[in-house]
Amino acid sequence: MNSQKHMVLIFICNLCVFEIAQAFYGWPAGSDSSLKSCREILGKYPNSGNGVYAILTNIGYVSVYCDMSTNGGGYTFLPRQAVTTNTRLNITPLFTKKSSVLVQLRNKNGRHPYAILEQLHQYRHLPLTVLLNQHTNFPRPNNHKLGPYIQLGFLPIPIAKQKKFARQGFKINGRELAFNNCDQNPNSDFNLYPNHKEVAPISYHARGVLDTWRNTFKYFPSGRRLPDEFFFFADLHFGGCGGYTSSEKWPTSDGVALGTR
């Protein structure tokens, strides 16, 4: 097949994805096919509801979940299928308001509670970092052998390793979950893995403030749930004495979804 025909087919397929999203997931008639995030959609169509939408990325249309109501709305959730080893997907347009992210848990009882994560008050001037298959200024994920990943970083290594910044952690639903970094080990991150090849995670676990982080989640009054393809295997690592935990060890939950805006 020559390159011109190939490009025509890609265009037709992308157009089909967009039209299906319009028909079934709440796009207004005649809506703009150039919108690049749930935040952009909400900005142009303020009455948009929660659900699956097609957004235009640098690699074509991608189906994402949009939370249009929580904390002002506009959060974009990527599905596991979009997180691959060789992807050229640029996630920068999905994370322009870097003061908070929205996370949801997949509870084993079928419920999907949520939490807004932010920096601790003393670090409120620092933007959160979200990276795809890279860990610039943050430690390499412990479960890197699981393959591709999304990394959510709080304090970059140059800050996290300094004694004068020993008080570390994050804010969750308005509550500060903090610890004292006892040895300047500069871990300050969440990592989400689709784990396409079903690789076994490491067995390591370290107790700390992370043992209680799931206790602060809230439930949507409607009981609405996120489609399964937006949940990932996850691990969290903080400190130096903040703890390390991963989702296969949690008694009531087994997956995490991450929304950015």
Side-chain angles (χ1 to χ4, degrees):
M1 180 184 297
N2 64 44
S3 59
Q4 185 175 6
K5 289 182 179 179
H6 183 66
M7 292 302 294
V8 169
L9 285 176
I10 291 175
F11 174 78
I12 292 172
C13 290
N14 282 335
L15 186 60
C16 289
V17 170
F18 176 71
E19 289 180 344
I20 289 170
Q22 278 187 313
F24 293 100
Y25 299 123
W27 281 84
S31 53
D32 188 347
S33 62
S34 66
L35 299 176
K36 298 178 176 61
S37 69
C38 297
R39 188 181 181 196
E40 284 194 7
I41 295 171
L42 187 61
K44 188 160 187 178
Y45 303 103
N47 294 323
S48 298
N50 303 313
V52 178
Y53 290 76
I55 60 170
L56 180 62
T57 73
N58 63 304
I59 60 171
Y61 289 102
V62 173
S63 293
V64 300
Y65 185 89
C66 293
D67 186 304
M68 300 301 203
S69 56
T70 307
N71 193 37
Y75 289 97
T76 302
F77 289 81
L78 283 172
R80 292 192 302 273
Q81 298 91 325
V83 181
T84 59
T85 300
N86 297 317
T87 184
R88 295 181 294 106
L89 176 63
N90 177 15
I91 63 172
T92 301
L94 308 183
F95 194 36
T96 58
K97 191 173 182 179
K98 300 182 179 183
S99 58
S100 72
V101 296
L102 171 63
V103 296
Q104 286 189 239
L105 293 178
R106 181 175 59 195
N107 280 0
K108 296 176 182 178
N109 63 6
R111 302 184 74 183
H112 294 169
Y114 73 93
I116 301 297
L117 303 186
E118 303 167 282
Q119 295 280 21
L120 295 177
H121 181 76
Q122 70 192 84
Y123 304 113
R124 63 190 182 281
H125 61 287
L126 293 176
L128 298 177
T129 299
V130 176
L131 302 168
L132 178 59
N133 294 337
Q134 56 181 306
H135 52 93
T136 306
N137 288 325
F138 291 90
R140 186 183 190 185
N142 287 291
N143 276 296
H144 60 89
K145 291 184 178 180
L146 271 59
Y149 61 92
I150 300 172
Q151 185 176 75
L152 166 64
F154 289 83
L155 299 183
I157 291 174
I159 293 176
K161 69 180 183 180
Q162 294 189 49
K163 287 185 178 181
K164 65 180 179 179
F165 298 123
R167 186 177 186 272
Q168 299 176 14
F170 53 92
K171 188 182 292 187
I172 178 167
N173 282 336
R175 172 192 168 194
E176 294 210 338
L177 192 63
F179 68 98
N180 186 63
N181 192 325
C182 58
D183 59 7
Q184 289 74 60
N185 203 333
N187 300 293
S188 188
D189 53 87
F190 286 46
N191 298 284
L192 280 67
Y193 313 81
N195 197 11
H196 297 300
K197 295 184 178 181
E198 300 290 345
V199 177
I202 63 173
S203 59
Y204 177 65
H205 178 78
R207 297 187 65 84
V209 296
L210 295 178
D211 290 339
T212 63
W213 83 286
R214 289 173 291 111
N215 299 342
T216 315
F217 277 68
K218 299 179 179 180
Y219 290 92
F220 295 112
S222 65
R224 62 183 169 90
R225 296 186 290 180
L226 197 64
D228 183 72
E229 62 265 28
F230 296 96
F231 287 99
F232 294 71
F233 173 86
D235 64 14
L236 293 68
H237 200 181
F238 283 78
C241 298
Y244 173 85
T245 186
S246 51
S247 54
E248 91 284 4
K249 299 180 178 69
W250 302 338
T252 59
S253 310
D254 61 6
V256 177
L258 174 68
T260 59
R261 66 178 179 180

